[in-house]
Amino acid sequence: MLPFKLVYHDRYDLNLGPHVFPSQKFRLIAEELRREGIAAAIDFLQPSPASDEDILRVHTREWVQKLKNGRLTASDVMKLEIPYSPELVEAVWLAAGGSILAGQCALRDGFGANLGGGFHHAYPGHGQGFCAIHDVAVAIRRLQADKAIRKAMVIDTDVHHGNGTAAIFRDDATVFTISIHQENNYPAHKPPSSIDLNMMDRADDEEYLGALIPAVQCALDEFRPDIVFYVGGADPYCEDQLGGLSLTKKGLMERDRKVFEQARRRGIPVATTLAGGYAQRLEDTIRIHVNTILATVDVANQFPIAAARNA
Ligand SMILES: [Zn+2]
């Protein structure tokens, strides 16, 4: 049995058909974790969809109504860059519920993993770049509303800048945002995160980790969040179709392990979500996401929670 829960729902699939976003990846990751004997049925929790009340702490009523009633304008769909369907709406409400649940699990168990979510380009009033609802922001707002946490940190390692996250929390002193991304890449407009690590094209494992880990250490020490939400991008991978960095699979797993270790050493719970991954071979994207779970297992076993809290 895993020392933390995996949050997953079969209806996470965004129903995109042939598309650069392989939305069947959520199911394939869950299947692979079982196939390799990393996880069993008992390790999985099925989320409920977020309530509209939860969603409305982040998103405008107008955007929520457009999604629920299928009334997106041509411009809305163009920004979203994925086709609208009722299944998409169901999937993103579930993903937000999943990130809430992963956050709650993390507060209880030290780690919680949503095998979905990470929709970091979504803004309060519109979707963008395959992201309709900002699940991580919804989860943070819900945990704050429940008074389960006061301060949260988002560590976003997707190859694309976390523009939605930065915009949502820009004037909020209770949420610290870190984005490490390729500077010359989508989105064109990058509102400032608390820390932006702008990587040059084709940056490799060493350059990337050399920028990320010291920044994470400093930020955790200074800000002392009650929880970290980790947006685990698979797209800094060297063979990604939408990315221009040169990380290896080994480097990406090292990234996950080191970030988790820094939080764990300080006794800070971590909720993980997925994010982008558009490798030429789908199995590479699956492997990178599965490795995030393996890195979590490593760190959870290496640093038992009682010891971590006393450290
Ligand atoms: Zn991305």
Side-chain angles (χ1 to χ4, degrees):
M1 195 171 94
L2 288 175
F4 58 91
K5 292 295 178 194
L6 304 171
V7 177
Y8 170 73
H9 199 293
D10 278 332
R11 303 190 73 103
Y12 274 179
D13 193 322
L14 305 176
N15 182 39
L16 303 183
H19 191 280
V20 69
F21 188 127
S23 71
Q24 70 278 31
K25 77 175 183 179
F26 306 113
R27 176 176 51 80
L28 296 176
I29 293 161
E31 282 175 6
E32 189 63 18
L33 286 164
R34 286 201 196 202
R35 203 183 61 76
E36 292 181 29
I38 299 163
I42 193 171
D43 298 310
F44 287 85
L45 289 179
Q46 190 171 288
S48 308
S51 67
D52 289 357
E53 187 189 359
D54 289 332
I55 302 285
L56 287 166
R57 287 193 193 95
V58 172
H59 292 281
T60 63
R61 196 166 289 277
E62 192 194 355
W63 177 235
V64 168
Q65 288 305 327
K66 277 182 175 177
L67 285 169
K68 294 196 112 175
N69 301 324
R71 296 261 168 83
L72 276 65
T73 64
S75 148
D76 289 331
V77 175
M78 215 170 72
K79 280 188 215 149
L80 194 54
E81 296 186 71
I82 45 176
Y84 175 86
S85 68
E87 289 85 353
L88 167 70
V89 175
E90 186 187 10
V92 295
W93 253 254
L94 279 169
S99 288
I100 293 170
L101 183 55
Q104 291 166 334
C105 288
L107 293 175
R108 184 190 64 197
D109 301 331
F111 283 112
N114 187 7
L115 301 182
F119 295 121
H120 63 160
H121 297 312
Y123 278 71
H126 64 90
Q128 208 177 301
F130 316 153
C131 302
I133 290 291
H134 200 305
D135 55 287
V136 167
V138 169
I140 289 172
R141 288 292 183 238
R142 166 64 185 272
L143 296 179
Q144 288 180 323
D146 288 347
K147 305 214 181 312
I149 62 162
R150 197 169 73 78
K151 297 193 293 182
M153 181 178 289
V154 181
I155 302 177
D156 183 339
T157 63
D158 190 279
V159 80
H160 306 103
H161 178 259
N163 56 341
T165 320
I168 289 166
F169 296 119
R170 191 169 182 165
D171 298 316
D172 184 340
T174 67
V175 182
F176 194 98
T177 57
I178 301 178
S179 176
I180 181 164
H181 49 265
Q182 183 189 5
E183 188 168 15
N184 299 319
N185 203 329
Y186 180 93
H189 175 59
K190 300 176 176 65
S193 314
S194 310
I195 297 178
D196 279 310
L197 301 166
N198 305 304
M199 304 307 292
M200 293 295 109
D201 298 353
R202 308 276 34 133
D204 62 12
D205 292 344
E206 200 183 333
E207 291 165 89
Y208 186 98
L209 293 174
L212 178 64
I213 303 308
V216 165
Q217 284 175 315
C218 269
L220 289 172
D221 283 337
E222 294 278 313
F223 187 72
R224 302 193 157 272
D226 302 311
I227 191 168
V228 166
F229 275 85
Y230 182 71
V231 178
D235 50 12
Y237 180 49
C238 52
E239 290 178 27
D240 196 272
Q241 300 174 82
L242 301 185
L245 298 184
S246 292
L247 275 74
T248 63
K249 280 181 264 191
K250 187 162 169 275
L252 287 162
M253 192 171 174
E254 194 64 15
R255 168 197 73 176
D256 298 341
R257 195 185 283 119
K258 287 193 154 148
V259 170
F260 301 158
E261 191 180 317
Q262 292 304 326
R264 187 76 162 187
R265 281 177 182 281
R266 292 164 176 80
I268 300 168
V270 179
T272 64
T273 68
L274 308 186
Y278 317 93
Q280 283 152 20
R281 288 173 305 204
L282 178 57
E283 59 263 39
D284 287 341
T285 297
I286 305 302
R287 172 51 45 197
I288 293 163
H289 287 311
V290 165
N291 282 349
T292 300
I293 301 305
L294 288 174
T296 314
V297 176
D298 281 356
V299 174
N301 288 334
Q302 200 183 341
F303 301 93
I305 193 157
R309 286 212 169 126
N310 295 332

